[in-house]
Amino acid sequence: FCPGCGGLRCAHAVAHGDLGTALGANALVVVGFAAFTVFWVHWFWRAARSRSVSVPLRSVHWWIIGALALTFTVVRNLPLGSALAP
């Protein structure tokens, strides 16, 4: 399974408030939704106060995100990570 497999089912479950089903469909996407929500709230709060918003992500951060996605992809395709498969 690719890192996005089950993402649409996950989004549907999150939209309907079923976090357990969402985690079962794709845990990585749930983490992505949570990170996006935190960023959006931060952006909204800063924009409401007329302050600039910046996300200081260095290249090492992108490498870590990529490594986590790769690890998630490999583990969910192994027998020990079958609970992560959609």
Side-chain angles (χ1 to χ4, degrees), residues 13-85:
V14 168
H16 286 89
D18 191 359
L19 190 58
T21 302
L23 285 168
N26 193 324
L28 186 63
V29 172
V30 173
V31 171
F33 287 155
F36 177 75
T37 302
V38 167
F39 171 75
W40 187 82
V41 168
H42 175 70
W43 171 82
F44 183 79
W45 186 257
R46 302 264 314 171
R49 294 179 172 214
S50 299
R51 295 185 179 152
S52 65
V53 178
S54 66
V55 181
L57 288 178
R58 297 181 311 202
S59 63
V60 68
H61 296 120
W62 292 111
W63 280 104
I64 291 170
I65 291 169
L68 288 173
L70 180 65
T71 303
F72 176 76
T73 303
V74 170
V75 170
R76 80 186 308 199
N77 286 295
L78 294 174
L80 67 103
S82 63
L84 295 173

